[in-house]
Amino acid sequence: MRLAEDDRARIPFALLGVLLLVGSSTFAASLATPGPAPVDRSADVVADRVDAEATAALRTAARDAATAAARDPVTVTADSDAGTALAGSDIFRRYLRLRIFLAARAAMDPIEHRRGESVARASFGDSVADASEAIERVSIAGLDDGTELQVTIRGLELTVESESRTLETRRVNRTVTVGIPVLALHDRTMNFQERLNAGPLESPGLARRTTVGVTAMAQARGLGQYGGLPIENVVGNRHVALSTNAGLLDAQRAAFGRADPDAAAGVRAATLRTGLTDLLGARADPRVVSAVTGRLPDPNAAERSETRTDWRSLPATRTISVGVNGTADEAFLSLLRGSNGAQRLESIRHDGYRATVSVRAGVRTIDDERRPTPRPPGENWTLAHSDTSKALSVTEYRSRRRGNPRVGVGTRRLYSATRRVIERWRVERTWVKVNETPRTTSASWRDVHRVHIIGTGRLRETAAPTRPLGSVFESGGALSGPNLREGRSEADRLVSALGGPDAIARKAATGGRTSGSRAIVGERPADLDAWVYADLAQLRDRVRTLSVDVAASDAATGRANGAARLAALVRDQRAELLDTPTRYDGVADRTRVAARAAYLDRVVARLDDRAGQTRSQNDGIDRALDASGLGPSRVAELAALTPHAPSPRTNVGEKTGVRGETVLVPDADPAYLALDPVEGTLVDGIADDERYVGLAVRNVNVFSVPYGDSADLVTRTLLGDPGRVSLHTAGQALLAADSTLETHRNPQLRARRDALARAVERSMRDVRTTATRTLARETSLSRDERRRVVDQSFDRFDGPGERSVAATDGSLARAVAAVAIKPNSTGRRASALAADRLSTALRVELRRVATSERVRVPESAVDDAVTSTRTFAEKAVTDAAGRATERGVARATNDTIGGIPAGVPLSPTLSPWVATANLWVVESRGAYGRFAVSVEESETAYVRDGAVVALDVDGDGETEALGRSERIGFRVRTVAVAVVPPGRLGVGDTDGNADERSMAWSGSAPGPRCVTTTGQCYRE
């Protein structure tokens, strides 16, 4: 507690002066006037004591009342006499005055002082008649920017009695000052609420910040869609939620000098999540750059500039996110099936259990006696001839080697035997001499050899990195499988085929075949295939999410190659993705890693292919951008735009004040107002067993007729096929024509729609054939069953338009998979492995055929239908805009575009085409379950949580309802506008959801609520 706030044990200066004066007078009188007894001054003493105690009690009461009023404020009055008394221009101040009076009245009850026959008391006389009278007895004022509270209480009665008779009654006013910043807390919170209520053009606040943020995203994403990126939902509720929360942080900083740290962290996390993944949900087409992100500044960044710029300036996209996406599926299916000479997954699993078993013998001479030299029996004897004989014996040799030691990485010793081979030699020599009878001499010696026979098993090399194996050629390891245990018996058979260890030892000493080898394929565990597949599927899902950011201006002008950077990223992270253990847990574990290595090699190969396609696309994109007037300089100008600078960080009060600078810290619950429910345990003020949705959002794309897909013009340019358009664009055009025909029964539009439908149906034949062939390859369904699955899947979509769009966005693939894996007539359900494999194959195959050149639709059929559809669509949306949104357009754009309809070409004939624009009406309604503002390093806090407040005003022992604190909430209604240059097919939401509503935007009163049957929230 600061010294300025601490009133404990303080003696009023007035009382101190009185005591000194009285004491000095009495002491002087006692010295100068000896004789009679001194005058009895007890009445004056008790009066002074009560006066001082009353003042101290009033100071304590004011402090306690201010603290309690901040903790339980009243901003909405109750329907009662006491509640009516609080009504006025500032309910909270009247409530604070009432609370101070009630606390002061209660504090006077025990104040009484006696001395001798004298007694003094302090009170407020008779009880006040009502709350209004109590309020009028108190005046308050804020000092030093509201950090101190000055309180004046009128009508304090001081009564002095002596010997049961009243000597004096005085009515006085007392003014005290306490260091409780209750008014600063309340006023700053009200300023925060005013910023939340302010219109986007009237003054800075939430609506303006939300308008800037959402418009920035709309402009950036609209530009990306115009440039050919597959963006179907230009403005989504997630973008509105992010901009709203960013605006709330700015409003907090402007009102309190800083923002809730938890809320700032939530916005940073949401910016990262939305900016890198959700802002642009791209289709998994390897030929199209995937994303453009609209970046928002960090509302609490220390380096934020204090220089304000025009709030209407828009931040253009700075980066785009390019992801692996569907390439992960393509590489996975390629590995399952094998293609372009690469191994299939089955062969990798088979090779993982291949090994070579070998037997060989090693000879070492341990005793080599020399052959005796010939010695004649005498002089002049000559050696006539000699005869040498050998006797060979084999015995077991006791070796000190134990166990089955390794002989190399991936190699094990499977057989070992040692033999002692003894060669005993004898030589007889015949000697001759003239005139003498021949003589014979003899000699013997021996050679001793040690022959070591070993059988080894060596694993076949695979794509898996070289690592030690924990066990091999014996049961165990991962999956507790055979683990190539066949190698040991195969080594025994090889030894037997060579004659056994003794025979091998003889041959080793005397010559002959002593080695042999055989290739074996070991038995695999029954669950190896499923285990390896599941591991690969997890890797596939992880690889699919990998992405890189590239400069948006570079991508827009054909100077960036995100696919090439993705390939480099996968190469750099290969070791991490491969996740090779330091020691393989047997053959199965090594086989699993070999499959992962082969998969990553395929991913890199396909990303390299995408990089080559992107290089070709970049040339076409540059030509397309130049043709439409959007060159590199234009992209650079858009990238340089930024939103208005946020408020600086400030404190309350002056350094020279009694309290000094005071730091106010807001604390919002939930900190980040999300579109999804938050558990009540995380939100103060909400019952723990409830779930709270703090934000309801709706955005309506007024001109959402999907009359074209801007990505297709780029694609057509790149493919060099200006006479045909993609199946997706044709399907969107067909859907638009169908929708228009429901309200405009025009014969020409009907005829053009039917012609387009026939063209689309012809293209869909290839899609149907591909789906049927994939089922034949990946399932055991009969021909009739496959036909039934495809028919049922196609029937889930209403007409050729929906089916063609579903074929390109993956919905059709999911539908076919869902029907195919349903339990059959026998109740048997496909395994998880089979279901995953089928789903993957359908995603890849149907996406491939749906985006191929052979299914493209004649441009003439699409243009005819689009032209007729646009004629009626433009009139309808123009009328709707004039009736429903003209006022909103005028407010949001300051009448700069007037009543001109946005979202369609400004000249429907396309000659001349001035520009294309779109309009989104954005609404958000939110409220905090609890919003508190506290003083740093203090227990003082101002809380707005909707709690009801009741006090005993008239002192009869019964509480009376005063009102409640209104939760901090807001309602924003604004618009976002996106304008793109002429050419192509414009900008707008093409996903068919023109009216996007969040979870809490439902019922007759959309807005924040608890997930209960009534939507009401109960306090914890």
Side-chain angles (χ1 to χ4, degrees):
M1 178 180 293
R2 294 171 54 89
L3 178 63
E5 297 177 84
D6 193 355
D7 300 323
R8 295 174 296 181
R10 292 189 180 182
I11 300 175
F13 284 110
L15 176 60
L16 181 60
V18 169
L19 292 176
L20 292 175
L21 178 61
V22 172
S24 61
S25 300
T26 303
F27 181 71
S30 66
L31 294 177
T33 313
V39 178
D40 183 9
R41 296 180 179 273
S42 60
D44 294 335
V45 171
V46 295
D48 291 335
R49 293 284 180 85
V50 166
D51 192 351
E53 290 179 17
T55 303
L58 291 177
R59 179 178 289 105
T60 301
R63 183 179 61 247
D64 294 343
T67 303
R71 184 174 58 251
D72 294 306
V74 172
T75 59
V76 177
T77 60
D79 187 14
S80 65
D81 292 340
T84 302
L86 300 181
S89 59
D90 194 323
I91 296 173
F92 177 78
R93 275 175 164 75
R94 293 181 64 82
Y95 162 70
L96 176 59
R97 291 159 60 189
L98 173 62
R99 190 137 200 170
I100 291 173
F101 178 83
L102 297 179
R105 183 178 66 182
M108 294 303 104
D109 287 345
I111 297 180
E112 179 182 282
H113 194 76
R114 293 179 180 273
R115 183 170 182 176
E117 295 296 323
S118 299
V119 58
R121 300 182 182 87
S123 69
F124 285 95
D126 297 333
S127 298
V128 295
D130 53 28
S132 297
E133 182 180 345
I135 294 171
E136 295 304 320
R137 301 277 288 271
V138 179
S139 298
I140 58 176
L143 303 179
D144 194 15
D145 205 12
T147 59
E148 295 181 44
L149 178 65
Q150 185 182 77
V151 178
T152 299
I153 303 179
R154 291 178 289 276
L156 175 65
E157 289 189 3
L158 300 177
T159 304
V160 181
E161 297 178 355
S162 180
E163 298 180 351
S164 301
R165 61 188 181 87
T166 301
L167 299 180
E168 181 182 18
T169 297
R170 288 184 297 162
R171 292 178 63 88
V172 298
N173 301 332
R174 286 288 181 265
T175 298
V176 296
T177 302
V178 294
I180 304 296
V182 59
L183 293 182
L185 293 171
H186 171 71
D187 293 343
R188 294 304 178 103
T189 303
M190 293 302 295
N191 177 265
F192 176 56
Q193 182 66 73
E194 291 172 3
R195 288 177 175 274
L196 303 191
N197 295 336
L201 296 180
E202 286 74 10
S203 60
L206 174 63
R208 179 178 295 185
R209 180 63 175 81
T210 302
T211 303
V212 172
V214 178
T215 302
M217 291 192 199
Q219 182 65 40
R221 290 169 58 80
L223 179 62
Q225 186 187 61
Y226 171 84
L229 299 178
I231 303 170
E232 295 183 345
N233 189 15
V234 176
V235 175
N237 284 340
R238 59 190 180 277
H239 312 138
V240 180
L242 177 57
S243 293
T244 300
N245 278 275
L248 289 170
L249 288 188
D250 272 354
Q252 289 179 23
R253 179 178 286 276
F256 305 109
R258 58 198 14 84
D260 181 1
D262 292 337
V267 168
R268 286 194 295 269
T271 301
L272 180 64
R273 181 178 62 252
T274 305
L276 296 185
T277 61
D278 292 340
L279 274 177
L280 298 173
R283 293 190 303 273
D285 185 342
R287 298 172 302 173
V288 180
V289 180
S290 63
V292 172
T293 56
R295 299 282 187 149
L296 293 177
D298 176 6
N300 277 341
E303 65 275 9
R304 294 168 64 167
S305 171
E306 304 298 333
T307 303
R308 286 191 170 272
T309 58
D310 184 358
W311 70 271
R312 290 171 294 182
S313 61
L314 303 176
T317 305
R318 283 164 169 72
T319 62
I320 64 173
S321 178
V322 182
V324 175
N325 301 327
T327 303
D329 291 336
E330 294 174 3
F332 189 80
L333 186 62
S334 172
L335 180 63
L336 295 181
R337 295 178 174 178
S339 60
N340 299 327
Q343 278 187 304
R344 297 174 56 202
L345 178 59
E346 173 58 27
S347 66
I348 293 174
R349 290 188 294 235
H350 187 270
D351 290 348
Y353 280 77
R354 286 182 179 271
T356 300
V357 178
S358 304
V359 172
R360 59 183 175 83
V363 182
R364 179 183 178 187
T365 301
I366 58 177
D367 188 2
D368 184 9
E369 295 182 357
R370 293 186 178 182
R371 179 173 180 147
T373 59
R375 291 183 179 180
E379 292 183 0
N380 300 321
W381 286 88
T382 303
L383 182 63
H385 66 275
S386 64
D387 184 15
T388 303
S389 62
K390 179 179 68 172
L392 188 145
S393 64
V394 179
T395 60
E396 186 175 358
Y397 184 85
R398 294 291 182 180
S399 174
R400 294 183 180 179
R401 294 178 180 270
R402 294 291 185 267
N404 191 19
R406 298 180 177 87
V407 290
V409 177
T411 304
R412 293 291 188 276
R413 181 176 296 170
L414 307 178
Y415 179 90
S416 179
T418 305
R419 294 293 186 264
R420 181 193 297 271
V421 179
I422 302 176
E423 294 179 294
R424 292 180 174 86
W425 300 89
R426 179 179 179 81
V427 60
E428 292 184 353
R429 300 183 178 93
T430 302
W431 303 85
V432 295
K433 184 178 181 181
V434 177
N435 300 325
E436 293 286 341
T437 303
R439 293 184 181 183
T440 301
T441 61
S442 64
S444 63
W445 73 97
R446 73 173 190 171
D447 295 331
V448 181
H449 309 282
R450 186 179 67 189
V451 179
H452 186 48
I453 306 166
I454 61 172
T456 60
R458 179 174 55 83
L459 296 178
R460 179 171 178 173
E461 291 186 1
T462 65
T466 300
R467 296 287 189 278
L469 276 82
S471 64
V472 68
F473 297 109
E474 57 186 6
S475 297
L479 305 180
S480 299
N483 207 31
L484 278 173
R485 63 188 175 192
E486 301 89 346
R488 196 171 301 279
S489 58
E490 189 61 35
D492 291 340
R493 283 192 289 271
L494 273 176
V495 172
S496 298
L498 292 171
D502 289 351
I504 295 174
R506 288 188 181 92
K507 295 175 184 177
T510 61
R513 182 168 174 259
T514 60
S515 63
S517 64
R518 290 179 184 174
I520 65 170
V521 179
E523 177 188 357
R524 291 182 290 177
D527 49 355
L528 175 69
D529 292 357
W531 184 61
V532 172
Y533 185 98
D535 182 72
L536 274 179
Q538 290 181 350
L539 179 61
R540 173 199 65 199
D541 295 341
R542 180 181 176 185
V543 169
R544 183 189 288 119
T545 64
L546 294 178
S547 64
V548 295
D549 290 342
V550 299
S553 57
D554 290 344
T557 55
R559 292 177 291 171
N561 193 324
R565 288 189 53 193
L566 273 178
L569 175 66
V570 176
R571 288 188 176 96
D572 291 342
Q573 296 187 5
R574 191 178 192 278
E576 178 183 349
L577 294 169
L578 195 56
D579 194 20
T580 307
T582 56
R583 179 184 297 273
Y584 293 124
D585 188 13
V587 182
D589 196 25
R590 180 172 178 264
T591 303
R592 175 187 65 85
V593 176
R596 293 171 73 92
Y599 172 70
L600 292 175
D601 290 342
R602 297 223 171 190
V603 171
V604 171
R606 272 154 181 75
L607 288 174
D608 286 338
D609 291 341
R610 277 181 60 178
Q613 295 174 0
T614 303
R615 282 189 287 271
S616 299
Q617 289 176 13
N618 285 341
D619 295 337
I621 290 174
D622 285 339
R623 292 193 299 270
L625 293 176
D626 290 338
S628 62
L630 183 62
S633 59
R634 174 63 175 169
V635 175
E637 291 174 0
L638 292 172
L641 298 175
T642 58
H644 69 290
S647 302
R649 185 186 293 258
T650 59
N651 297 329
V652 182
E654 299 294 333
K655 292 182 179 180
T656 57
V658 176
R659 285 187 57 91
E661 286 190 334
T662 301
V663 177
L664 305 184
V665 181
D667 180 17
D669 277 321
Y672 185 91
L673 295 182
L675 303 176
D676 298 320
V678 177
E679 296 298 330
T681 55
L682 304 177
V683 183
D684 290 338
I686 303 296
D688 289 348
D689 58 349
E690 295 185 5
R691 300 169 70 206
Y692 181 68
V693 185
L695 185 63
V697 170
R698 178 188 185 188
N699 84 85
V700 180
N701 187 196
V702 179
F703 312 112
S704 62
V705 177
Y707 57 85
D709 182 34
S710 55
D712 287 310
L713 282 178
V714 175
T715 305
R716 281 167 19 193
T717 301
L718 301 179
L719 295 177
D721 186 9
R724 301 175 71 83
V725 299
S726 74
L727 183 61
H728 179 78
T729 292
Q732 290 283 27
L734 184 55
L735 287 175
D738 288 339
S739 178
T740 305
L741 281 171
E742 292 179 2
T743 55
H744 299 82
R745 301 182 181 279
N746 179 269
Q748 183 185 47
L749 177 58
R750 168 63 65 181
R752 292 181 172 182
R753 178 266 171 204
D754 292 344
L756 178 58
R758 288 191 294 271
V760 171
E761 286 282 23
R762 285 193 295 270
S763 294
M764 287 297 294
R765 292 173 188 169
D766 284 330
V767 177
R768 181 183 291 269
T769 299
T770 300
T772 305
R773 289 176 178 172
T774 303
L775 290 174
R777 185 167 187 173
E778 300 295 339
T779 69
S780 59
L781 296 174
S782 65
R783 176 181 297 179
D784 291 340
E785 288 174 330
R786 295 194 297 270
R787 185 180 299 111
R788 177 185 56 80
V789 167
V790 174
D791 289 342
Q792 289 183 5
S793 305
F794 273 56
D795 290 342
R796 290 189 175 189
F797 303 94
D798 187 14
E802 283 194 8
R803 283 193 286 273
S804 59
V805 173
T808 58
D809 66 11
S811 301
L812 182 60
R814 291 191 294 270
V816 176
V819 175
I821 64 178
K822 285 195 306 184
N824 56 25
S825 58
T826 63
R828 297 178 59 186
R829 180 184 294 272
S831 67
L833 185 151
D836 182 86
R837 174 165 179 151
L838 176 60
S839 298
T840 304
L842 287 169
R843 284 198 304 268
V844 174
E845 297 288 9
L846 293 190
R847 182 172 60 241
R848 183 179 296 157
V849 67
T851 57
S852 64
E853 292 187 50
R854 70 173 185 269
V855 300
R856 295 174 75 82
V857 178
E859 181 181 12
S860 58
V862 176
D863 287 347
D864 287 346
V866 166
T867 300
S868 296
T869 301
R870 187 180 295 136
T871 300
F872 296 102
E874 184 187 14
K875 182 179 184 302
V877 297
T878 300
D879 293 343
R883 293 191 307 270
T885 63
E886 182 176 358
R887 184 176 178 182
V889 172
R891 288 185 60 200
T893 61
N894 199 24
D895 295 322
T896 56
I897 64 173
I900 300 176
V904 292
L906 299 184
S907 176
T909 62
L910 308 184
S911 179
W913 192 345
V914 178
T916 304
N918 212 322
L919 171 69
W920 287 263
V921 179
V922 176
E923 296 181 80
S924 62
R925 300 180 183 180
Y928 292 108
R930 177 181 183 272
F931 189 89
V933 186
S934 61
V935 178
E936 192 174 59
E937 299 181 356
S938 172
E939 296 179 357
T940 304
Y942 179 87
V943 181
R944 296 280 289 272
D945 60 357
V948 176
V949 179
L951 296 174
D952 182 8
V953 176
D954 52 14
D956 62 356
E958 298 290 333
T959 60
E960 299 175 68
L962 298 179
R964 60 181 175 85
S965 65
E966 192 175 18
R967 284 193 170 102
I968 299 297
F970 56 86
R971 290 191 175 192
V972 173
R973 180 179 174 84
T974 186
V975 297
V977 179
V979 181
V980 297
R984 317 227 174 156
L985 294 176
V987 59
D989 290 349
T990 60
D991 60 355
N993 187 12
D995 188 350
E996 186 179 357
R997 307 184 184 197
S998 69
M999 173 184 177
W1001 198 283
S1002 60
S1004 58
R1009 63 188 62 189
C1010 285
V1011 185
T1012 60
T1013 55
T1014 63
Q1016 298 297 317
C1017 295
Y1018 299 95
R1019 292 181 52 80
E1020 57 183 347

